[in-house]
Amino acid sequence: MDSRVAVVSGGGTGIGAAVAGVLASDGYDVLIVGRRGDVLTDAAARISFDCGRADAVTAVTADLTDPNQLDRVLAVLGGRTVDVVVNNAGGYLGGDTGTPAGIAAHWRANLDANVLTAVLLTEALRPALRRPGGRVILVSSIAAQRGGGGAYSAAKAALHGWAYDLAAQLGPEQITVNVVSPGYVAETEFFGDRMTAEGHAKRVAATLVGRAGLPDDIAEAVRYLASPAAGYVTGQVLGVNGGSVLGR
């Protein structure tokens, strides 16, 4: 039997690297995809070493907003069947919103980074998904459910609607599609240098469990959705936010 294959976008740091780590430790051959080749290469070497399997993780440098670069992922796959796709690429992109042109650029950048990356990668890999048993997992944000992030919130919310459609399309082929929606997660690059001690404390106080999330918290949710145990779970949004937003 061929080894299982997982593809993780934005897999070089933070949540994406944690996801790649748990999947590699579960025996998957993992492709991590992103724009920063050096970061990806370092992550691939570190995760492969940690899980005790040489070349368990392979780095693929590609800008997933560019349709012409998707062939880089397909070339590395070499026709192998894909068991799990984790669309984690994205983030909050700022910009000049003082003019109509600036607003348009700001919204397009956030939609491209958070939605188009997921759509293009998933559609490129769709023919290769394992049937039955494939998994498509989208990483969203608490901002999609409660707002507060402007264009970023809207972009992440768009993933939810698309996930529902995709789940309906792929369900008859026994492929599941789900969303993981993280709350505040520390130890990532998401906030850059924007996070303050006060901001951190405020976000922790908003949880019911009194702590920030960690990349491993999100990775474990992805691990579950990727597993056979979640074969009857599809078209769902799984909030992993410490109770900052209650399920609904």
Side-chain angles (χ1 to χ4, degrees):
M1 181 176 179
D2 292 339
S3 58
R4 294 172 296 170
V5 175
V7 179
V8 181
S9 68
T13 62
I15 291 171
V19 168
V22 299
L23 295 178
S25 70
D26 286 347
Y28 288 87
D29 292 340
V30 182
L31 274 64
I32 54 174
V33 186
R35 294 175 301 168
R36 297 178 293 173
D38 54 342
V39 172
L40 291 168
T41 299
D42 289 347
R46 182 184 70 254
I47 298 167
S48 295
F49 177 82
D50 287 346
C51 74
R53 287 195 298 126
D55 302 322
V57 181
T58 301
V60 182
T61 305
D63 181 348
L64 295 176
T65 66
D66 181 356
N68 296 318
Q69 296 190 31
L70 293 165
D71 284 346
R72 300 180 185 182
V73 181
L74 298 177
V76 175
L77 279 173
R80 296 177 69 186
T81 298
V82 176
D83 295 88
V84 181
V85 181
V86 182
N87 291 290
N88 171 71
Y92 176 85
L93 301 180
D96 175 19
T97 56
T99 65
I103 292 170
H106 171 68
W107 275 75
R108 288 186 180 119
N110 277 277
L111 289 167
D112 282 357
N114 294 286
V115 181
L116 194 62
T117 53
V119 172
L120 290 179
L121 180 62
T122 301
E123 291 298 333
L125 298 178
R126 187 166 171 168
L129 287 171
R130 186 172 298 281
R131 293 164 168 83
R135 302 284 191 263
V136 178
I137 301 167
L138 313 176
V139 179
S140 174
S141 169
I142 196 172
Q145 296 159 293
R146 70 178 183 190
Y152 172 75
S153 294
K156 289 299 191 184
L159 291 177
H160 298 193
W162 179 57
Y164 303 149
D165 281 350
L166 197 60
Q169 293 169 21
L170 296 178
E173 300 176 79
Q174 298 294 303
I175 297 170
T176 67
V177 182
N178 291 287
V179 178
V180 175
S181 180
Y184 172 50
V185 179
E187 300 182 12
T188 75
E189 297 181 338
F190 181 83
F191 290 97
D193 59 2
R194 294 178 287 121
M195 180 54 66
T196 64
E198 293 78 13
H200 172 81
K202 179 180 178 181
R203 287 167 173 80
V204 169
T207 71
L208 301 181
V209 298
R211 72 169 178 89
L214 297 172
D216 284 347
D217 293 313
I218 313 307
E220 290 296 339
V222 171
R223 172 185 258 164
Y224 163 66
L225 291 173
S227 75
Y232 197 52
V233 179
T234 194
Q236 304 302 310
V237 177
L238 175 58
V240 187
N241 58 44
S244 298
V245 168
L246 301 180
R248 55 179 178 268

